[in-house]
């Protein structure tokens, strides 16, 4: 395995949120809120075909409508849409994505990977809590709390364990790099 395109995950210049929402309690709304309040200095590009704005940020109806190619995309759309969404992002030149969506069957996962292969897009997920990089102002997760920046990295297969660790660390002023 190479490190190609990992910079797009760990140090993106722009982030698209596919499935951004204003609906209270939805995953798309939690992601939008966390991303927009995280302090990320680059553009955050919400994508929602039925909203003109997400939390006062201009929204785009489709990936093709985005004014620039995002380095990182965060996806929270229904399972059936994931392969075509990955394909559309790859065609635009996106180099990394976080697939929050759960419920992908083996065929959808294979299609997702096939769609990402031509551009060597890095994929985190599916069925994940998300990705955080507090030092860069990135909270591309639906975690309840946002940890402070620090020197400790946390990788977990379990979203529940990661969320519990983040909650525990926040109460003790422990920060994370990623």
């Amino acid at each position: 395995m190479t490190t190609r395109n990992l910079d797009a995950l760990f140090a993106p210049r722009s982030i698209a949120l596919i499935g951004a929402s204003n609906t209270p309690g939805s995953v798309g709304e939690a992601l939008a809120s966390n991303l927009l309040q995280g302090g990320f200095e680059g553009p955050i590009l919400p994508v929602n075909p039925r909203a003109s704005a997400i939390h006062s940020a201009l929204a785009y109806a489709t990936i093709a409508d985005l004014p620039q190619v995002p380095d990182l995309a965060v996806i929270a759309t229904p399972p059936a849409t994931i392969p075509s969404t990955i394909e559309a992002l790859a065609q635009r030149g996106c180099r990394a994505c976080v697939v929050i969506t759960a419920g992908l069957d083996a065929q959808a996962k294979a299609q997702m990977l096939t769609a990402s292969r031509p551009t060597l897009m890095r994929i985190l997920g599916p069925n994940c809590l998300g990705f955080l990089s507090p030092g860069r102002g990135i909270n591309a997760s639906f975690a309840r709390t946002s940890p402070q920046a620090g020197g400790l990295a946390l990788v977990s297969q379990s979203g529940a364990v990661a969320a519990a660790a983040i909650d525990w660390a926040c109460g003790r002023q422990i920060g994370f790099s990623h």
Side-chain angles (χ1 to χ4, degrees), residues 35-102:
L35 265 173
L36 292 166
Q37 293 175 17
F40 180 66
E41 292 183 6
I44 295 174
L45 310 163
V47 176
N48 181 309
R50 294 174 302 282
S52 59
I54 302 293
H55 291 289
S56 298
L58 180 63
Y60 303 90
T62 68
I63 293 164
D65 293 333
L66 293 173
Q68 67 186 88
V69 176
D71 281 338
L72 174 63
V74 182
I75 306 172
T77 60
T81 67
I82 300 302
S84 62
T85 300
I86 297 286
E87 183 176 16
L89 287 163
Q91 287 175 352
R92 283 294 309 267
C94 183
R95 299 182 301 125
C97 74
V98 178
V99 180
I100 304 293
T101 305

Side-chain angles (χ1 to χ4, degrees), residues 85-125:
T85 300
I86 297 286
E87 183 176 16
L89 287 163
Q91 287 175 352
R92 283 294 309 267
C94 183
R95 299 182 301 125
C97 74
V98 178
V99 180
I100 304 293
T101 305
L104 276 74
D105 61 20
Q107 181 180 2
K109 288 178 186 175
Q111 290 171 338
M112 174 184 77
L113 293 174
T114 298
S116 71
R117 196 166 291 123
T119 60
L120 303 173
M121 179 189 294
R122 295 297 181 160
I123 299 176
L124 178 63

